[in-house]
Amino acid sequence: MPYAGAGVLGSAVGMDKELMKAAFTVAELPQIDYLVARDSANDLPAVVASVEDGFEYPVFVKPANLGSSVGMTKAHNRGELTTALQLAFSYDRKVIVEAFVAGRELECAVLGNESPEASIPGEVRAANEFYDYEAKYTDGMMEFHIPAPLTPEQTSEVRDLAGAGVPGDRLRRFRALRFLHRRRRKGAGQRDHTIPA
């Protein structure tokens, strides 16, 4: 059946956070430090130890293959991390743990095939501690500012990073990229949302 949007492979890569991060690495896009835990629901102490060896609290814990922040938790200590891992592993056999980075959450749409064009960035401001499921889907729990209040240089940086995207033609046509914009450092790519996803 014909459809408009990214190819099947591009959408699959966009849905799997580990594969998306690998594609960001190939494209040399800056991103947040992360750890992948696999099939470890029965060995949580080992996962907790790996996380604590590599990261400071808080950290974000999320299933690798879900969207809309389902199963995602911001863990501030070991107890919350253990609970967050249990929740994430209840949704997926592969879990992503990301370092917390203080920054502004920006989104930028990209349209096009051979010559993709990035839109003006928007900024998400969630009422909750982070942009969780409730903030995304409950009226009054988030604000979206378009255009994002950025300097011309910051706007250009976000648009350039979004337009760089991921190599290959499987993510073309239209997509939205999410970034964390940090003071005095380049934005960090978080997620490439394809349509269909």
Side-chain angles (χ1 to χ4, degrees):
M1 168 180 266
Y3 68 90
V8 173
L9 178 60
S11 291
V13 169
M15 188 64 189
D16 186 309
K17 294 174 183 69
E18 180 186 20
L19 297 179
M20 188 76 266
K21 288 174 178 295
F24 279 4
T25 299
V26 169
E28 299 181 348
L29 291 172
Q31 58 183 311
I32 297 164
D33 291 338
Y34 69 96
L35 173 148
V36 179
R38 304 171 197 284
D39 301 323
S40 300
N42 295 321
D43 192 12
L44 288 182
V47 178
V48 169
S50 293
V51 171
E52 291 183 337
D53 283 346
F55 302 97
E56 299 286 328
Y57 287 108
V59 294
F60 283 101
V61 180
K62 54 185 87 172
N65 290 289
L66 283 180
S68 297
S69 300
V70 173
M72 180 175 170
T73 306
K74 184 177 182 181
H76 301 83
N77 54 53
R78 182 177 294 175
E80 289 182 7
L81 175 60
T82 300
T83 301
L85 288 166
Q86 290 169 335
L87 175 64
F89 276 122
S90 75
Y91 288 104
D92 198 339
R93 295 177 64 185
K94 183 166 60 173
V95 169
I96 304 290
V97 179
E98 289 179 336
F100 169 74
V101 175
R104 298 163 60 192
E105 186 144 356
L106 306 175
E107 292 191 353
C108 189
V110 179
L111 299 173
N113 293 318
E114 283 72 29
S115 301
E117 184 174 340
S119 70
I120 298 298
E123 180 175 5
V124 175
R125 295 182 188 168
N128 291 346
E129 186 177 7
F130 68 96
Y131 194 32
D132 63 2
Y133 185 90
E134 180 183 38
K136 290 177 181 179
Y137 299 108
T138 304
D139 285 344
M141 295 295 291
M142 63 83 75
E143 296 176 351
F144 199 57
H145 296 265
I146 304 173
L150 299 168
T151 66
E153 294 79 14
Q154 291 169 331
T155 297
S156 179
E157 174 196 343
V158 171
R159 293 183 77 202
D160 288 348
L161 286 171
V166 175
D169 64 356
R170 299 299 182 185
L171 288 172
R172 292 182 180 169
R173 297 181 185 87
F174 37 84
R175 65 183 195 262
L177 282 90
R178 186 173 299 150
F179 297 91
L180 282 176
H181 193 272
R182 303 171 286 184
R183 287 185 190 175
R184 297 182 298 279
R185 292 181 65 192
K186 278 198 163 201
Q190 280 190 291
R191 187 82 192 272
D192 194 339
H193 297 274
T194 62
I195 302 171

